[in-house]
Amino acid sequence: MIELDPSTCPRTPDAISQALEARPEWLSAFTKDFMSASADFSQERIDAALDRWHPFAIACRTPGYLEEIDEIVRRINSGEASDMIFYDEEGLAWDIENNRQPLFDRAEEDAA
């Protein structure tokens, strides 16, 4: 799995807008959020919009990340995910049916 690189996109309105051009529906939603907050002259709402959309912009700017996610979604939707392993926050492994797969746990690897 490709790791997101936060340094690929500054947390500024212009940088986020430029990054989100890769996904027009995301750009549209960000623009609405940001413009609404700006119209209210609410710095708190502007910051909330930037905080909400910055991770999406990082995803757009990290080479190969969105393509990898699109491939995972395609495999899941087409029923080709029986061999896929997913990890939770603790590094525990799970299959597509939500069954634990302890042989693949990352938590034990990290402890070694």
Side-chain angles (χ1 to χ4, degrees), residues 21-32:
E21 288 176 359
R23 295 287 170 122
E25 67 279 8
W26 293 358
L27 176 58
S28 176
F30 167 70
T31 301
K32 288 176 187 173

Side-chain angles (χ1 to χ4, degrees), residues 71-86:
E71 177 62 13
I72 291 169
V73 170
R74 185 201 64 75
R75 286 186 62 193
I76 290 170
N77 288 338
S78 64
E80 301 172 19
S82 62
D83 64 337
M84 293 177 77
I85 299 293
F86 301 89

Side-chain angles (χ1 to χ4, degrees), residues 21-61:
E21 288 176 359
R23 295 287 170 122
E25 67 279 8
W26 293 358
L27 176 58
S28 176
F30 167 70
T31 301
K32 288 176 187 173
D33 275 358
F34 186 78
M35 297 305 274
S36 175
S38 297
D40 289 344
F41 299 103
S42 170
Q43 188 61 50
E44 185 176 309
R45 286 190 56 217
I46 290 170
D47 289 342
L50 294 174
D51 290 344
R52 180 175 24 258
W53 289 100
H54 188 230
F56 291 90
I58 292 169
C60 288
R61 286 283 192 223

Side-chain angles (χ1 to χ4, degrees), residues 85-105:
I85 299 293
F86 301 89
Y87 295 91
D88 64 18
E89 291 178 353
E90 289 85 35
L92 302 177
W94 302 84
D95 67 14
I96 192 72
E97 301 295 329
N98 206 29
N99 298 308
R100 284 271 294 111
Q101 299 296 316
L103 291 175
F104 296 98
D105 285 349

